[in-house]
Amino acid sequence: MGKVVFLSIATNWAFNLLKPRKLPYNRSIRKEGIPASDFVCHREQCAPRCRLEAARVGIMGGTFNPIHVGHTEMAQEAYRTLGLREVLFIPVGTPPHKPGVFVASPQDRLEMVRLAVENDPHFTVNTMELQRKGYTYAVDTLHQLIADYPPGTEFYYILGGDAFLYLENWYRFEEAIGLCNYVVFERAGVEPRLVQELAQKLRDRYGARILLVDYEPTPVSSTLLRRCIQ
Ligand code: ATP
């Protein structure tokens, strides 16, 4: 375990060296024609009050097998540009969509996430999916968060373009799409046009609240890191 964490951190460090540390403070979020004020609380009955007072909470879900700088960059960027109160890092328990891939134990993935985010006071690790038995689904997580947080809290689910293109395959997708806002980051190798087209389709069909972020995090992946440490 110690060796895996060390190698993961060392590889992230190497990637950091390759990339100029130009943090995108002034980078804008493309709202694709949707004004920020249209991002309303999922609880319609309290929308007028919530619009003024709602806390915005980011959700950074992932297998984190292992976590890497791409994940933390997305969370930082969303935190800054959306004025989030916090970003929850939620490691998936048993990922339903990665059959045949070696997945480190929940304890090891959790430990790596804790180490990666412990120095950022705005990042919180949430273990609700690890505690659930069997496959874990975002729709259940969203319902649980909505129940756990104060009424009116607005949730922003942070995704890379590759995961967004898979969104329609999520379990109870049509329910999940209405439960929160979706914040989609560019991802190396993913055609932005496909992301834009899907975003528009989901807005038209389901009234989905989708933000496309004009920012591509470091082109790293857990797959690449696993290969590096083999
Ligand atoms: P793997 O290579 O094993 O598929 P991954 O690097 O995609 O893993 P996950 O934990 O599956 O990592 O990703 C969690 C979320 O983070 C997903 O929404 C994914 O699209 C996004 N993501 C991860 N890395 C990046 C990156 N470099 N750029 C943009 N999005 C990313």
Side-chain angles (χ1 to χ4, degrees):
M1 164 61 203
K3 190 177 162 208
V4 171
V5 170
F6 172 76
L7 285 169
S8 171
I9 290 170
T11 316
N12 274 352
W13 175 76
F15 269 101
N16 270 327
L17 283 185
L18 288 174
K19 190 185 181 207
R21 298 303 300 163
K22 184 172 60 100
L23 288 175
Y25 284 104
N26 296 321
R27 205 177 281 272
S28 63
I29 282 199
R30 281 205 309 266
K31 297 195 189 72
E32 300 285 306
I34 302 178
S37 57
D38 280 2
F39 282 76
V40 297
C41 172
H42 49 266
R43 294 177 190 229
E44 284 178 18
Q45 70 274 18
C46 59
R49 200 166 151 262
C50 292
R51 246 182 232 194
L52 297 175
E53 298 178 5
R56 297 174 165 196
V57 173
I59 302 170
M60 185 70 223
T63 312
F64 303 129
N65 182 39
I67 190 168
H68 53 70
V69 70
H71 298 125
T72 50
E73 278 184 359
M74 295 163 80
Q76 279 166 355
E77 177 71 358
Y79 173 79
R80 272 196 302 269
T81 52
L82 292 169
L84 303 179
R85 193 186 65 187
E86 63 176 324
V87 179
L88 307 174
F89 279 74
I90 309 185
V92 168
T94 308
H97 58 291
K98 297 204 173 176
V101 173
F102 167 77
V103 182
S105 73
Q107 293 80 3
D108 285 354
R109 289 184 291 114
L110 174 61
E111 186 58 20
M112 290 187 275
V113 173
R114 284 205 169 118
L115 287 170
V117 309
E118 66 183 0
N119 289 327
D120 194 320
H122 311 294
F123 292 170
T124 311
V125 184
N126 183 304
T127 59
M128 71 165 67
E129 291 201 359
L130 295 176
Q131 287 159 11
R132 228 176 274 149
K133 293 213 185 331
Y135 289 141
T136 44
Y137 300 104
V139 66
D140 297 326
T141 302
L142 287 166
H143 277 301
Q144 196 173 334
L145 289 171
I146 289 165
D148 288 351
Y149 274 71
T153 304
E154 289 178 24
F155 292 98
Y156 290 79
Y157 206 108
I158 302 165
L159 295 162
D162 59 317
F164 179 65
L165 291 182
Y166 188 79
L167 198 72
E168 287 177 293
N169 298 308
W170 279 12
Y171 178 63
R172 285 168 34 214
F173 150 76
E174 292 188 10
E175 193 179 332
I177 196 76
L179 292 176
C180 68
N181 304 283
Y182 289 84
V183 186
V184 186
F185 281 76
E186 290 184 18
R187 183 146 200 197
V190 175
E191 176 62 60
R193 186 182 49 83
L194 295 178
V195 171
Q196 285 160 13
E197 284 173 5
L198 178 61
Q200 200 50 52
K201 185 178 112 180
L202 298 181
R203 287 181 193 127
D204 293 344
R205 194 169 292 175
Y206 304 101
R209 303 181 302 269
I210 299 167
L211 288 163
L212 302 184
V213 185
D214 190 12
Y215 173 60
E216 183 190 313
T218 301
V220 61
S221 70
S222 302
T223 303
L224 182 64
L225 289 171
R226 288 196 301 277
R227 282 197 197 123
C228 288
I229 61 177
Q230 268 170 4

